[in-house]
Amino acid sequence: MSYVRGLKCRECGREYPIEPIYVCEFCFGPLEVVYDYDRIKADLTIDKIRSRPTNLWRYRELLPIDGDPYVGLHAGFTPLIKADRLAKEIGVDELYIKDDTVTHPTLSFKDRVVSVALSKAKEFGFDTVACASTGNLAHSVSAQGAAGGFRRFVFIPASLEHSKIVASLAYEPNVVAVEGNYDEVNRLCSEIANKYKWAFVNINIRPFYAEGSKTQGYEIIEQLGWKAPDHVVVPCASGSLLTKIWKSFEEMHKIGILKELHTKVFAAQATGCNPIATAIKSATDVIKPVKPDTIAKSLAIGNPADGFYAKQVVYNTGGWGEDVSDQEIIDAMKLLARTEGVFAETAGGVTLASAIKLVKTGKIKREGTTVICVTGNGLKTKEALEGHVAEPFRIKPKMAFFEEILAKIGN
Amino acid sequence: MKRRVKLMFPQVLIKEPVIFTMAKKFDIMPNIRRARITDTVGEMVLELEGEAANLDEAVKSLSEQGIDVEPVEGDVLE
Ligand SMILES: Cc1ncc(COP(=O)(O)O)c(C=O)c1O
Ligand SMILES: [Zn+2]
């Protein structure tokens, strides 16, 4: 009862059957899942979505699996927080935070893509799952792969934050720390994926995997009362999440759930790894690869596979791109925590700091609704704040000492 | 042996017969699959076929001319 029509090359349009493949044999363009939207339009209604459990599978007609989901039964449906205090700080009228810091089970939006990838891997009959990761993906594949009973291989750059490595190791997958940057990890994994018959979620399962990101967009629309925001700010590593959030909005429009769609899509990057923001600002069609150097390690992809498509979405929707320094990232992480009680990882700092710049430069207008996609939990990158947060007041257990401090703090 | 690569040309090289020269010099058969070429942009996705050692030399020579060479398989999403 799948609504999937097949795979289609994004460059030349050739169609392929549903298989674990990811590039077009003719032009080497990336493959994308296409659906039968007429049937979905006839079958999927707001009432039907509402009647289902609050997880990402409530939009299953728009996801590329045939049978029932196999993992991720509690993933998705994270809060959309109306952020009035933060709105005031940054100077917009109506601001929302899509809070994927609390995604089940590993506290980043990667749980969405992995839920779909592993459910599809099971359908394809794979017993081993693998990924190349900047950290969050490794974490989710380790956890959800364990829950699904898969053999697991995760490949990460050896320089990753220690806490992220431990987070993956807890689930006892095979963790391979590669001495090189993410793009080098990738190349190695592509070779491995060619040789071993594993489900590499972001290589041969990638067309299906990437579709999972759309669920963040569907939820935003549902939580805004079946409306699309005026602005959405999305952090970019490979650029996939941004293109998929836009795809999700377009699909909701296509199937008639959204009556209007005029959202502007904005890309957020760290200055230490800004190939997409640079292409947007300089209006070139070529994404020039960079060597990443930023504390936002989960976004440190120097040669972003979907960069060109992300840039196109930004241009076609009238959005823009911004990039921010490490200090701006840290300041934004603290601002988000202080004003809204949300502790995000560095990627969240990138998104908020970029949004602040976009508002300052007038690219995002004060009027209208703005949604900021905060995609990972701060506990995952605690190291980033070391030396940037205050020390606790340290006292002997006596009232007098406490009141001494209280006097210093004042009101 | 075949290798899939994506080349990014600096502006000064867009009008030069870089591929032809490489093919002759290193005895390689290029098969262009996709290209995006304007006055300011040169991006080409192609398959190169030849001896492994020649392919390595050819890629090295392209890089030395200032062309960015990325394996197509390197195009992975995180
Ligand atoms: C926390 C977080 N946010 C955003 C992204 C960006 O994802 P994409 O590669 O789809 O652009 C990543 C990717 O690793 C991530 O880990
Ligand atoms: Zn194609």
Side-chain angles (χ1 to χ4, degrees):
Chain A
M1 53 136 275
S2 171
Y3 293 81
V4 174
R5 265 196 13 227
L7 295 171
K8 187 173 175 180
C9 174
R10 268 200 277 190
E11 292 290 334
C12 75
R14 268 192 185 75
E15 301 212 6
Y16 293 84
I18 293 299
E19 279 166 16
I21 51 174
Y22 68 109
V23 280
C24 173
E25 274 313 305
F26 288 86
C27 77
F28 305 154
L31 301 181
E32 169 103 5
V33 179
V34 286
Y35 299 82
D36 183 344
Y37 291 112
D38 290 335
R39 270 179 60 223
I40 297 176
K41 186 172 184 170
D43 290 356
L44 187 63
T45 59
I46 288 179
D47 285 341
K48 198 181 236 173
I49 296 171
R50 276 209 185 111
S51 71
R52 292 175 176 167
T54 46
N55 62 56
L56 59 81
W57 298 108
R58 67 205 257 116
Y59 314 101
R60 57 182 292 176
E61 283 83 351
L62 293 157
L63 295 171
I65 61 166
D66 297 331
D68 286 329
Y70 181 64
V71 294
L73 303 183
H74 306 279
F77 223 77
T78 56
L80 184 76
I81 299 171
K82 186 149 190 293
D84 291 339
R85 287 171 193 281
L86 184 58
K88 223 170 165 177
E89 286 275 342
I90 77 172
V92 293
D93 288 344
E94 200 178 340
L95 181 68
Y96 295 88
I97 292 162
K98 181 56 178 166
D99 188 5
D100 266 13
T101 67
V102 291
T103 322
H104 190 268
T106 64
L107 308 179
S108 91
F109 95 99
K110 291 296 180 195
D111 287 329
R112 299 177 182 278
V113 276
V114 173
S115 299
V116 175
L118 299 196
S119 292
K120 196 67 202 174
K122 186 72 180 174
E123 284 184 358
F124 281 136
F126 287 103
D127 59 10
T128 302
V129 295
C131 67
S133 173
T134 54
N136 287 324
L137 182 56
H139 195 188
S140 192
V141 167
S142 302
Q144 301 209 64
F150 290 102
R151 181 166 170 244
R152 293 148 292 150
F153 282 88
V154 307
F155 297 81
I156 53 171
S159 63
L160 213 59
E161 296 100 334
H162 183 66
S163 51
K164 276 199 176 156
I165 299 179
V166 173
S168 286
L169 285 168
Y171 309 92
E172 300 185 0
N174 301 294
V175 177
V176 184
V178 179
E179 289 167 12
N181 64 23
Y182 177 69
D183 299 289
E184 289 167 309
V185 177
N186 253 342
R187 275 175 216 175
L188 172 64
C189 285
S190 303
E191 273 183 61
I192 297 170
N194 278 336
K195 181 154 179 197
Y196 296 91
K197 296 284 155 258
W198 298 344
F200 256 95
V201 301
N202 50 346
I203 302 180
N204 54 339
I205 305 296
R206 157 177 155 182
F208 311 95
Y209 157 90
E211 288 287 288
S213 289
K214 294 190 307 187
T215 60
Q216 199 180 60
Y218 302 141
E219 290 172 18
I220 290 171
I221 284 170
E222 176 169 356
Q223 290 165 320
L224 286 174
W226 308 103
K227 285 208 270 295
D230 296 299
H231 318 107
V232 63
V233 188
V234 188
C236 291
S238 66
S240 174
L241 175 63
L242 184 144
T243 61
K244 293 295 179 174
I245 285 186
W246 178 244
K247 184 178 181 185
S248 76
F249 288 8
E250 282 190 308
E251 287 177 333
M252 282 283 172
H253 193 231
K254 222 177 269 180
I255 64 169
I257 287 183
L258 267 185
K259 300 299 170 226
E260 276 178 70
L261 177 59
H262 48 71
T263 309
K264 294 180 174 175
V265 182
F266 296 86
Q269 292 206 293
T271 303
C273 183
N274 61 356
I276 298 175
T278 303
I280 293 168
K281 289 180 184 175
S282 57
T284 60
D285 266 346
V286 163
I287 306 289
K288 209 170 170 321
V290 302
K291 284 251 174 298
D293 177 19
T294 166
I295 56 166
K297 295 192 179 153
S298 55
L299 301 181
I301 297 184
N303 179 25
D306 276 5
F308 174 74
Y309 304 106
K311 193 221 136 191
Q312 262 186 333
V313 167
V314 166
Y315 264 60
N316 293 343
T317 62
W320 196 245
E322 218 13 296
D323 56 80
V324 292
S325 69
D326 285 354
Q327 189 58 50
E328 289 170 315
I329 295 168
I330 290 166
D331 293 344
M333 288 167 74
K334 291 169 71 178
L335 177 65
L336 183 60
R338 184 168 75 233
T339 54
E340 297 298 334
V342 173
F343 183 25
E345 71 149 82
T346 44
V350 168
T351 314
L352 175 55
S354 298
I356 292 172
K357 273 195 175 166
L358 289 162
V359 172
K360 273 198 186 130
T361 54
K363 299 281 183 196
I364 290 182
K365 298 271 177 296
R366 167 180 269 283
E367 302 76 31
T369 50
T370 298
V371 173
I372 293 181
C373 297
V374 171
T375 48
N377 197 294
L379 296 172
K380 299 184 129 194
T381 58
K382 279 189 308 229
E383 290 92 339
L385 285 192
E386 251 151 49
H388 297 276
V389 288
E391 290 291 317
F393 300 106
R394 201 184 170 96
I395 59 168
K396 300 239 157 47
K398 285 265 179 336
M399 188 59 145
F401 291 117
F402 171 66
E403 288 186 329
E404 214 171 86
I405 282 165
L406 200 55
K408 260 193 237 158
I409 295 171
N411 281 319
Chain B
M1 173 176 185
K2 286 180 182 168
R3 194 175 297 173
R4 297 169 176 189
V5 291
K6 177 163 141 189
L7 308 181
M8 243 165 288
F9 296 83
Q11 206 165 334
V12 290
L13 286 182
I14 290 177
K15 296 194 175 123
E16 301 297 317
V18 175
I19 302 298
F20 177 75
T21 313
M22 170 203 70
K24 273 191 82 170
K25 188 164 168 198
F26 300 102
D27 190 22
I28 279 171
M29 190 156 75
N31 183 350
I32 298 171
R33 301 302 187 93
R34 185 151 44 92
R36 215 180 334 253
I37 299 176
T38 68
D39 284 350
T40 53
V41 163
E43 198 180 74
M44 196 182 285
V45 174
L46 66 174
E47 193 165 53
L48 305 176
E49 188 170 357
E51 299 281 325
N54 290 2
L55 285 171
D56 287 342
E57 283 301 312
V59 166
K60 201 167 134 226
S61 140
L62 290 173
S63 303
E64 280 166 6
Q65 293 172 66
I67 295 165
D68 190 83
V69 186
E70 297 285 334
V72 168
E73 281 85 2
D75 256 19
V76 180
L77 295 177
E78 149 78 66

